[in-house]
Amino acid sequence: VQLQASGGGLVQAGGSLRLSCAASGRTFSRYNVGWFRQAPGKEREFVGRINENGDSMGYADSVKDRFTISRDNAKRTVYLQMNSLKPEDTAVYYCAATGSWDIRPSQYFYWGQGTLVTVSS
């Protein structure tokens, strides 16, 4: 599975962005997908995840009620809708795929290249 994240950009605080994670490979629908982010000088952190069927999601406390993950397996794409963005959401955002239900980056075996989100105050 190859992943490519897109949709990042510059947005003002309070604004919204939608990131996309496009996958190649016919087995994409068998994988759980997670979103992670990494700010300068910080470790990569879990943002949220969605199961293979798209009917179960989980979020980090810092983004709960602001971010929503969805997927369209027919399009082999996972989305991260980000609302009410804050300057502390500024980071490079990555999507990743795994066969397990986990929030640890080490458990994800396929990674996209990342897309930069910058939130100005």
Side-chain angles (χ1 to χ4, degrees):
V1 175
Q2 292 184 323
L3 305 174
Q4 183 169 356
S6 62
L10 174 63
V11 63
Q12 289 187 333
S16 298
L17 277 176
R18 187 177 81 158
L19 305 184
S20 298
C21 176
S24 62
R26 288 177 289 181
T27 61
F28 172 70
S29 61
R30 300 179 186 175
Y31 291 96
N32 302 317
V33 175
W35 283 96
F36 297 82
R37 65 187 182 186
Q38 188 165 17
K42 296 188 176 181
E43 292 187 352
R44 191 166 298 188
E45 66 173 357
F46 169 77
V47 173
R49 56 182 171 170
I50 188 166
N51 72 342
E52 57 186 11
N53 296 323
D55 57 5
S56 181
M57 287 76 75
Y59 301 93
D61 287 344
S62 59
V63 306
K64 199 173 295 183
D65 299 326
R66 298 190 298 123
F67 290 11
T68 303
I69 298 175
S70 61
R71 70 189 293 165
D72 184 336
N73 283 339
K75 295 183 178 179
R76 299 176 190 168
T77 303
V78 173
Y79 304 98
L80 178 64
Q81 178 66 45
M82 306 185 294
N83 299 328
S84 302
L85 282 162
K86 305 175 181 180
E88 51 264 43
D89 294 318
T90 295
V92 176
Y93 283 72
Y94 300 89
C95 59
T98 180
S100 61
W101 189 241
D102 208 295
I103 67 171
R104 295 170 293 175
S106 62
Q107 299 304 303
Y108 287 74
F109 305 115
Y110 304 100
W111 288 84
Q113 85 287 3
T115 185
L116 176 63
V117 173
T118 304
V119 184
S120 63
S121 57

Coordinates of all heavy atoms in Angstrom, one line a residue, residues 32-115:
N32 N -6.6 -0.5 8.8 CA -7.0 0.7 9.6 C -6.0 1.8 9.2 O -4.9 1.6 8.9 CB -6.9 0.3 11.1 CG -7.7 -0.9 11.4 OD1 -8.9 -1.0 11.0 ND2 -7.1 -1.8 12.2
V33 N -6.5 3.0 9.3 CA -5.7 4.2 8.9 C -5.7 5.2 10.0 O -6.7 5.5 10.7 CB -6.3 4.8 7.6 CG1 -5.5 6.1 7.3 CG2 -6.2 3.9 6.4
G34 N -4.5 5.7 10.3 CA -4.3 6.7 11.3 C -3.7 8.0 10.8 O -3.1 8.0 9.7
W35 N -4.0 9.0 11.5 CA -3.4 10.3 11.2 C -2.5 10.7 12.3 O -2.9 10.5 13.5 CB -4.5 11.4 11.0 CG -5.2 11.4 9.7 CD1 -6.4 10.8 9.4 CD2 -4.8 11.9 8.4 NE1 -6.7 10.9 8.1 CE2 -5.7 11.7 7.4 CE3 -3.6 12.7 8.0 CZ2 -5.6 12.1 6.1 CZ3 -3.5 13.1 6.7 CH2 -4.5 12.8 5.8
F36 N -1.4 11.2 12.0 CA -0.4 11.6 13.0 C 0.1 13.0 12.6 O -0.1 13.4 11.4 CB 0.8 10.7 13.0 CG 0.4 9.3 13.5 CD1 -0.1 8.4 12.6 CD2 0.6 8.9 14.8 CE1 -0.5 7.1 13.0 CE2 0.2 7.6 15.2 CZ -0.3 6.7 14.3
R37 N 0.7 13.7 13.5 CA 1.3 15.0 13.2 C 2.6 15.2 13.9 O 2.8 14.6 15.0 CB 0.3 16.1 13.5 CG 0.0 16.3 15.0 CD -1.1 17.3 15.1 NE -1.4 17.6 16.6 CZ -2.4 18.4 17.0 NH1 -3.2 19.0 16.1 NH2 -2.6 18.5 18.3
Q38 N 3.5 16.0 13.4 CA 4.7 16.3 14.0 C 5.1 17.7 13.8 O 5.2 18.2 12.7 CB 5.8 15.4 13.4 CG 7.2 15.5 14.1 CD 8.1 14.4 13.7 OE1 8.0 13.7 12.7 NE2 9.1 14.2 14.6
A39 N 5.1 18.4 15.0 CA 5.5 19.8 15.0 C 7.0 19.9 15.1 O 7.7 19.0 15.6 CB 4.8 20.5 16.2
P40 N 7.6 21.0 14.7 CA 9.1 21.2 14.8 C 9.6 21.0 16.2 O 9.0 21.6 17.2 CB 9.3 22.7 14.3 CG 8.1 23.0 13.5 CD 7.0 22.2 14.1
G41 N 10.6 20.1 16.3 CA 11.2 19.9 17.6 C 10.4 19.0 18.5 O 10.8 18.8 19.7
K42 N 9.3 18.4 18.0 CA 8.5 17.5 18.8 C 8.4 16.1 18.2 O 8.7 16.0 17.1 CB 7.1 18.1 19.0 CG 7.0 19.4 19.8 CD 5.6 19.9 20.1 CE 5.6 21.1 21.0 NZ 4.2 21.5 21.3
E43 N 8.0 15.2 19.0 CA 7.8 13.8 18.5 C 6.5 13.7 17.7 O 5.6 14.5 17.9 CB 7.8 12.9 19.7 CG 9.1 12.7 20.4 CD 9.1 11.6 21.5 OE1 8.0 11.1 21.8 OE2 10.1 11.3 22.0
R44 N 6.5 12.7 16.9 CA 5.2 12.5 16.1 C 4.1 12.0 17.1 O 4.4 11.2 18.0 CB 5.5 11.4 15.1 CG 4.4 11.3 14.1 CD 4.9 10.4 12.9 NE 6.0 11.1 12.2 CZ 6.5 10.7 11.0 NH1 6.0 9.6 10.5 NH2 7.5 11.3 10.5
E45 N 3.0 12.6 17.0 CA 1.9 12.2 17.9 C 0.6 11.8 17.1 O 0.4 12.2 16.0 CB 1.5 13.4 18.8 CG 0.9 14.6 18.1 CD 0.5 15.7 19.0 OE1 0.5 15.5 20.3 OE2 0.0 16.7 18.5
F46 N -0.1 10.9 17.8 CA -1.3 10.4 17.3 C -2.4 11.5 17.2 O -2.6 12.3 18.2 CB -1.8 9.3 18.2 CG -3.2 8.8 17.9 CD1 -3.5 8.0 16.8 CD2 -4.2 9.1 18.8 CE1 -4.8 7.5 16.6 CE2 -5.5 8.6 18.6 CZ -5.8 7.8 17.5
V47 N -3.2 11.5 16.1 CA -4.3 12.5 16.0 C -5.6 11.7 16.0 O -6.5 12.1 16.7 CB -4.1 13.3 14.7 CG1 -5.4 14.1 14.4 CG2 -2.9 14.1 14.7
G48 N -5.7 10.7 15.2 CA -6.9 10.0 15.1 C -6.8 8.7 14.2 O -5.8 8.6 13.5
R49 N -7.8 7.9 14.2 CA -7.7 6.7 13.5 C -9.1 6.2 13.0 O -10.1 6.6 13.7 CB -7.1 5.5 14.2 CG -7.7 5.2 15.6 CD -7.1 4.2 16.4 NE -7.6 4.1 17.7 CZ -7.3 3.1 18.6 NH1 -6.5 2.1 18.2 NH2 -7.9 3.1 19.8
I50 N -9.2 5.4 12.0 CA -10.4 4.9 11.5 C -10.2 3.4 11.1 O -9.2 3.1 10.6 CB -11.0 5.7 10.3 CG1 -12.4 5.3 9.9 CG2 -10.0 5.7 9.1 CD1 -13.0 6.3 9.0
N51 N -11.2 2.6 11.4 CA -11.0 1.2 11.1 C -11.3 0.9 9.6 O -11.7 1.8 8.9 CB -11.9 0.3 12.0 CG -13.4 0.4 11.7 OD1 -13.8 1.4 11.0 ND2 -14.2 -0.5 12.2
E52 N -11.1 -0.3 9.3 CA -11.1 -0.7 7.8 C -12.5 -0.4 7.2 O -12.6 -0.1 6.0 CB -10.7 -2.1 7.7 CG -11.6 -3.1 8.5 CD -11.0 -4.5 8.4 OE1 -9.9 -4.7 7.9 OE2 -11.7 -5.4 8.8
N53 N -13.5 -0.6 8.0 CA -14.9 -0.4 7.5 C -15.4 1.0 7.6 O -16.4 1.4 6.9 CB -15.9 -1.3 8.3 CG -15.6 -2.8 8.1 OD1 -15.2 -3.2 7.0 ND2 -15.8 -3.5 9.1
G54 N -14.7 1.8 8.3 CA -15.1 3.2 8.4 C -16.2 3.5 9.5 O -16.8 4.5 9.5
D55 N -16.5 2.5 10.3 CA -17.6 2.6 11.3 C -17.1 2.7 12.7 O -17.9 2.7 13.6 CB -18.6 1.5 11.2 CG -17.9 0.1 11.4 OD1 -16.7 0.1 11.7 OD2 -18.6 -0.9 11.2
S56 N -15.8 2.9 12.9 CA -15.2 3.1 14.2 C -14.0 4.1 14.1 O -13.1 3.9 13.3 CB -14.7 1.8 14.8 OG -14.2 2.0 16.1
M57 N -14.1 5.1 14.9 CA -13.0 6.1 14.9 C -12.6 6.4 16.3 O -13.3 6.1 17.3 CB -13.5 7.4 14.3 CG -13.7 7.4 12.8 SD -15.2 6.5 12.3 CE -16.5 7.7 12.7
G58 N -11.4 6.9 16.4 CA -10.9 7.3 17.7 C -10.0 8.6 17.5 O -9.4 8.7 16.5
Y59 N -10.0 9.4 18.5 CA -9.3 10.7 18.4 C -8.4 11.0 19.7 O -8.8 10.6 20.8 CB -10.3 11.8 18.2 CG -11.1 11.7 17.0 CD1 -12.4 11.1 17.1 CD2 -10.7 12.1 15.7 CE1 -13.2 10.9 15.9 CE2 -11.5 11.9 14.6 CZ -12.7 11.3 14.7 OH -13.5 11.2 13.6
A60 N -7.4 11.8 19.4 CA -6.6 12.3 20.6 C -7.5 13.3 21.3 O -8.3 14.0 20.6 CB -5.3 12.9 20.1
D61 N -7.3 13.5 22.6 CA -8.1 14.4 23.3 C -7.9 15.9 22.8 O -8.9 16.7 22.8 CB -7.7 14.4 24.8 CG -8.2 13.1 25.5 OD1 -9.1 12.5 25.0 OD2 -7.7 12.8 26.6
S62 N -6.8 16.2 22.3 CA -6.5 17.5 21.8 C -7.3 17.9 20.6 O -7.4 19.1 20.3 CB -5.0 17.7 21.6 OG -4.6 16.7 20.6
V63 N -7.8 16.9 19.9 CA -8.5 17.3 18.6 C -10.0 16.8 18.7 O -10.7 17.1 17.7 CB -7.8 16.6 17.4 CG1 -6.4 17.1 17.4 CG2 -8.0 15.1 17.4
K64 N -10.3 16.1 19.7 CA -11.7 15.6 19.8 C -12.7 16.7 19.7 O -12.5 17.8 20.3 CB -11.8 14.8 21.1 CG -13.0 13.8 21.2 CD -13.0 13.0 22.5 CE -11.7 12.1 22.5 NZ -11.7 11.3 23.8
D65 N -13.8 16.5 19.0 CA -14.9 17.4 18.8 C -14.5 18.5 17.8 O -15.3 19.4 17.5 CB -15.3 18.1 20.1 CG -15.9 17.1 21.1 OD1 -16.5 16.1 20.6 OD2 -15.7 17.3 22.3
R66 N -13.2 18.5 17.3 CA -12.8 19.5 16.3 C -12.5 18.8 15.0 O -12.7 19.3 13.9 CB -11.6 20.3 16.7 CG -11.9 21.1 18.0 CD -10.8 22.1 18.2 NE -9.5 21.4 18.5 CZ -8.4 21.6 17.8 NH1 -8.4 22.5 16.8 NH2 -7.3 21.0 18.1
F67 N -11.9 17.6 15.1 CA -11.4 16.9 13.9 C -12.3 15.6 13.6 O -12.8 15.0 14.6 CB -10.0 16.4 14.1 CG -9.0 17.4 14.0 CD1 -9.3 18.8 14.1 CD2 -7.6 17.1 14.0 CE1 -8.3 19.8 14.1 CE2 -6.6 18.1 14.0 CZ -7.0 19.4 14.0
T68 N -12.5 15.3 12.4 CA -13.3 14.1 12.0 C -12.6 13.4 10.9 O -12.2 14.0 9.9 CB -14.7 14.6 11.5 OG1 -15.4 15.3 12.6 CG2 -15.6 13.3 11.2
I69 N -12.5 12.1 11.1 CA -11.9 11.2 10.1 C -13.1 10.4 9.4 O -14.0 9.9 10.1 CB -10.9 10.2 10.7 CG1 -9.8 11.0 11.4 CG2 -10.4 9.2 9.7 CD1 -8.8 10.1 12.2
S70 N -12.9 10.3 8.1 CA -13.8 9.4 7.3 C -13.1 8.8 6.2 O -11.9 9.1 6.0 CB -15.0 10.3 6.8 OG -14.5 11.3 5.9
R71 N -13.7 7.8 5.6 CA -13.0 7.1 4.5 C -14.0 6.7 3.4 O -15.2 6.5 3.7 CB -12.2 5.9 5.0 CG -13.0 4.7 5.5 CD -12.1 3.7 6.1 NE -11.2 3.1 5.2 CZ -10.1 2.3 5.5 NH1 -9.8 2.2 6.8 NH2 -9.3 1.8 4.6
D72 N -13.5 6.6 2.2 CA -14.3 6.1 1.1 C -13.4 5.1 0.4 O -12.5 5.3 -0.3 CB -14.6 7.3 0.1 CG -15.5 6.9 -1.0 OD1 -15.5 5.7 -1.4 OD2 -16.1 7.8 -1.6
N73 N -13.8 3.8 0.7 CA -12.9 2.7 0.2 C -13.0 2.6 -1.3 O -12.1 2.1 -1.9 CB -13.3 1.4 0.9 CG -12.7 1.3 2.3 OD1 -11.7 2.0 2.7 ND2 -13.3 0.5 3.2
A74 N -14.1 3.0 -1.8 CA -14.3 2.9 -3.3 C -13.3 3.8 -4.0 O -12.8 3.5 -5.1 CB -15.7 3.2 -3.7
K75 N -13.0 5.0 -3.3 CA -12.0 5.9 -3.8 C -10.7 5.7 -3.2 O -9.7 6.5 -3.5 CB -12.5 7.3 -3.5 CG -13.8 7.7 -4.3 CD -14.2 9.2 -4.0 CE -15.4 9.6 -4.8 NZ -15.8 11.0 -4.5
R76 N -10.5 4.7 -2.3 CA -9.3 4.5 -1.7 C -8.7 5.7 -1.0 O -7.5 6.0 -1.1 CB -8.2 3.9 -2.6 CG -8.7 2.6 -3.2 CD -7.7 2.1 -4.3 NE -8.2 0.9 -5.0 CZ -7.7 0.5 -6.1 NH1 -6.6 1.0 -6.6 NH2 -8.2 -0.6 -6.7
T77 N -9.6 6.4 -0.3 CA -9.2 7.7 0.3 C -9.7 7.8 1.7 O -10.9 7.4 2.0 CB -9.7 8.9 -0.6 OG1 -9.2 8.8 -1.9 CG2 -9.2 10.2 0.0
V78 N -8.9 8.4 2.6 CA -9.2 8.7 3.9 C -9.1 10.2 4.1 O -8.2 10.8 3.6 CB -8.4 8.0 5.0 CG1 -8.7 8.4 6.4 CG2 -8.6 6.5 4.8
Y79 N -10.1 10.8 4.8 CA -10.1 12.2 5.0 C -9.9 12.6 6.5 O -10.4 11.9 7.3 CB -11.4 12.8 4.5 CG -11.8 12.4 3.1 CD1 -12.6 11.3 2.8 CD2 -11.2 13.1 2.0 CE1 -12.9 11.0 1.5 CE2 -11.5 12.8 0.7 CZ -12.3 11.7 0.4 OH -12.6 11.4 -0.9
L80 N -9.3 13.8 6.7 CA -9.3 14.3 8.0 C -9.8 15.8 7.9 O -9.2 16.7 7.3 CB -7.8 14.4 8.5 CG -7.6 15.0 9.9 CD1 -8.3 14.2 11.0 CD2 -6.1 15.2 10.2
Q81 N -11.1 15.9 8.4 CA -11.7 17.2 8.4 C -11.3 17.9 9.7 O -11.5 17.4 10.8 CB -13.2 17.1 8.3 CG -13.9 18.4 8.4 CD -13.7 19.3 7.2 OE1 -13.7 18.9 6.1 NE2 -13.4 20.6 7.5
M82 N -10.7 19.1 9.6 CA -10.2 19.8 10.7 C -10.9 21.2 10.8 O -10.8 22.0 9.9 CB -8.7 20.1 10.6 CG -7.9 18.8 10.4 SD -6.1 19.0 10.4 CE -5.9 20.0 8.9
N83 N -11.6 21.3 11.9 CA -12.4 22.6 12.1 C -11.8 23.3 13.4 O -11.1 22.7 14.2 CB -13.8 22.3 12.3 CG -14.5 21.6 11.1 OD1 -14.1 21.9 10.0 ND2 -15.5 20.7 11.3
S84 N -12.2 24.5 13.5 CA -11.8 25.3 14.7 C -10.3 25.2 14.9 O -9.8 24.9 16.1 CB -12.5 24.9 15.9 OG -13.9 25.0 15.7
L85 N -9.5 25.3 13.9 CA -8.1 25.1 14.0 C -7.4 26.2 14.9 O -7.8 27.3 15.0 CB -7.4 25.2 12.6 CG -7.6 23.9 11.8 CD1 -7.4 24.2 10.3 CD2 -6.7 22.8 12.3
K86 N -6.4 25.7 15.6 CA -5.6 26.5 16.6 C -4.2 26.6 16.1 O -3.7 25.7 15.4 CB -5.7 25.9 18.0 CG -7.1 25.7 18.5 CD -7.1 24.9 19.8 CE -8.5 24.6 20.3 NZ -8.5 23.9 21.6
P87 N -3.5 27.6 16.5 CA -2.0 27.7 16.2 C -1.2 26.4 16.6 O -0.3 26.0 15.9 CB -1.5 28.9 16.9 CG -2.8 29.8 17.0 CD -3.9 28.9 17.2
E88 N -1.7 25.8 17.7 CA -1.0 24.6 18.2 C -1.2 23.4 17.3 O -0.6 22.3 17.5 CB -1.3 24.3 19.7 CG -2.8 24.3 20.0 CD -3.3 25.6 20.5 OE1 -2.9 26.7 20.0 OE2 -4.1 25.6 21.5
D89 N -2.1 23.5 16.4 CA -2.3 22.4 15.4 C -1.3 22.5 14.3 O -1.3 21.5 13.4 CB -3.7 22.5 14.8 CG -4.8 22.3 15.8 OD1 -4.7 21.3 16.7 OD2 -5.9 23.0 15.8
T90 N -0.5 23.5 14.2 CA 0.5 23.6 13.2 C 1.5 22.4 13.3 O 2.1 22.2 14.3 CB 1.3 24.9 13.3 OG1 0.4 26.0 13.1 CG2 2.4 25.0 12.4
A91 N 1.6 21.7 12.2 CA 2.5 20.5 12.1 C 2.5 20.0 10.7 O 1.7 20.4 9.9 CB 2.0 19.5 13.1
V92 N 3.4 19.0 10.5 CA 3.3 18.2 9.3 C 2.4 17.0 9.7 O 2.6 16.3 10.7 CB 4.6 17.7 8.8 CG1 4.5 16.7 7.6 CG2 5.5 18.8 8.5
Y93 N 1.3 16.8 8.8 CA 0.4 15.7 9.1 C 0.7 14.5 8.2 O 0.9 14.7 7.0 CB -1.0 16.3 8.9 CG -1.5 17.1 10.0 CD1 -1.0 18.4 10.2 CD2 -2.5 16.6 10.9 CE1 -1.4 19.2 11.3 CE2 -2.9 17.4 12.0 CZ -2.4 18.7 12.1 OH -2.8 19.4 13.2
Y94 N 0.6 13.4 8.8 CA 0.9 12.1 8.1 C -0.3 11.2 8.2 O -0.9 11.1 9.2 CB 2.1 11.4 8.6 CG 3.4 12.2 8.6 CD1 3.8 13.1 9.6 CD2 4.3 12.1 7.5 CE1 4.9 13.8 9.6 CE2 5.5 12.8 7.5 CZ 5.8 13.6 8.5 OH 7.0 14.3 8.4
C95 N -0.5 10.4 7.1 CA -1.5 9.3 7.2 C -0.6 8.0 7.2 O 0.4 8.0 6.6 CB -2.5 9.3 6.2 SG -1.9 9.3 4.5
A96 N -1.2 7.0 7.8 CA -0.5 5.7 7.9 C -1.5 4.6 8.0 O -2.6 4.8 8.5 CB 0.5 5.7 9.1
A97 N -1.0 3.4 7.5 CA -1.9 2.3 7.5 C -1.3 1.1 8.4 O -0.1 0.9 8.4 CB -2.2 1.8 6.1
T98 N -2.2 0.4 9.0 CA -1.8 -0.7 9.8 C -2.9 -1.8 9.8 O -4.1 -1.5 9.6 CB -1.6 -0.3 11.3 OG1 -1.2 -1.4 12.1 CG2 -2.8 0.3 11.9
G99 N -2.5 -3.0 10.2 CA -3.5 -4.1 10.3 C -4.0 -4.2 11.7 O -4.9 -5.0 12.0
S100 N -3.4 -3.4 12.6 CA -3.8 -3.5 14.0 C -4.6 -2.3 14.4 O -4.7 -1.3 13.7 CB -2.6 -3.7 15.0 OG -1.7 -2.6 14.8
W101 N -5.2 -2.3 15.6 CA -6.0 -1.1 16.1 C -5.1 -0.5 17.2 O -5.1 -0.9 18.4 CB -7.3 -1.6 16.6 CG -8.3 -0.5 17.0 CD1 -8.8 -0.2 18.2 CD2 -8.8 0.5 16.1 NE1 -9.6 0.9 18.2 CE2 -9.7 1.3 16.9 CE3 -8.7 0.8 14.8 CZ2 -10.4 2.4 16.3 CZ3 -9.4 1.9 14.2 CH2 -10.2 2.7 15.0
D102 N -4.3 0.5 16.8 CA -3.3 1.0 17.7 C -3.1 2.5 17.5 O -3.4 3.0 16.4 CB -2.0 0.2 17.4 CG -1.1 0.1 18.6 OD1 -0.6 1.2 19.1 OD2 -0.8 -1.0 19.1
I103 N -2.5 3.1 18.5 CA -2.2 4.6 18.3 C -0.7 4.8 18.3 O -0.3 6.0 18.1 CB -2.9 5.4 19.4 CG1 -2.3 5.1 20.8 CG2 -4.4 5.2 19.4 CD1 -2.7 6.1 21.9
R104 N 0.1 3.8 18.4 CA 1.5 4.0 18.4 C 2.1 4.0 17.0 O 1.8 3.1 16.2 CB 2.2 2.9 19.2 CG 1.9 2.8 20.6 CD 2.4 1.5 21.3 NE 1.6 0.4 20.8 CZ 2.0 -0.9 21.1 NH1 3.0 -1.1 21.9 NH2 1.2 -1.9 20.7
P105 N 2.8 5.1 16.6 CA 3.4 5.2 15.3 C 4.2 3.9 14.9 O 4.2 3.6 13.7 CB 4.3 6.4 15.3 CG 3.7 7.2 16.4 CD 3.2 6.3 17.4
S106 N 4.8 3.3 15.8 CA 5.6 2.1 15.5 C 4.8 0.9 15.0 O 5.4 0.0 14.4 CB 6.4 1.7 16.8 OG 5.5 1.3 17.8
Q107 N 3.5 1.0 15.2 CA 2.6 -0.1 14.7 C 2.1 0.1 13.3 O 1.3 -0.7 12.9 CB 1.5 -0.3 15.7 CG 2.0 -0.7 17.1 CD 2.9 -1.9 17.1 OE1 2.5 -3.0 16.6 NE2 4.1 -1.8 17.6
Y108 N 2.4 1.2 12.7 CA 1.9 1.5 11.4 C 3.1 1.3 10.4 O 4.2 1.8 10.6 CB 1.5 3.0 11.3 CG 0.2 3.2 12.0 CD1 0.1 3.2 13.4 CD2 -1.0 3.4 11.3 CE1 -1.1 3.4 14.1 CE2 -2.2 3.5 12.0 CZ -2.3 3.5 13.4 OH -3.5 3.7 14.0
F109 N 2.8 0.5 9.4 CA 3.8 0.1 8.5 C 3.9 0.8 7.1 O 4.9 0.7 6.5 CB 3.7 -1.4 8.2 CG 3.6 -2.2 9.5 CD1 2.5 -2.9 9.9 CD2 4.7 -2.2 10.4 CE1 2.4 -3.6 11.1 CE2 4.6 -2.9 11.6 CZ 3.5 -3.6 11.9
Y110 N 2.8 1.5 6.8 CA 2.8 2.2 5.5 C 2.5 3.7 5.9 O 1.5 4.0 6.6 CB 1.7 1.6 4.6 CG 1.9 0.2 4.3 CD1 1.1 -0.7 5.0 CD2 2.8 -0.3 3.4 CE1 1.2 -2.1 4.8 CE2 2.9 -1.7 3.2 CZ 2.1 -2.6 3.9 OH 2.3 -3.9 3.7
W111 N 3.3 4.5 5.3 CA 3.3 6.0 5.6 C 3.2 6.8 4.4 O 3.9 6.5 3.4 CB 4.5 6.4 6.5 CG 4.4 5.9 7.9 CD1 4.8 4.7 8.3 CD2 3.9 6.6 9.0 NE1 4.6 4.6 9.7 CE2 4.1 5.7 10.1 CE3 3.4 7.9 9.2 CZ2 3.7 6.1 11.4 CZ3 3.0 8.2 10.5 CH2 3.2 7.4 11.6
G112 N 2.4 7.9 4.4 CA 2.4 8.9 3.4 C 3.6 9.9 3.6 O 4.2 9.8 4.7
Q113 N 3.8 10.8 2.7 CA 4.9 11.7 2.8 C 4.7 12.9 3.7 O 5.6 13.6 4.0 CB 5.3 12.2 1.4 CG 4.5 13.4 0.9 CD 3.1 13.0 0.5 OE1 2.6 11.9 0.6 NE2 2.4 14.0 0.0
G114 N 3.5 13.2 4.1 CA 3.2 14.3 5.0 C 2.8 15.5 4.2 O 3.2 15.8 3.1
T115 N 1.9 16.3 4.9 CA 1.5 17.6 4.3 C 1.5 18.6 5.4 O 1.0 18.3 6.5 CB 0.1 17.4 3.6 OG1 -0.3 18.7 3.0 CG2 -1.0 17.0 4.6

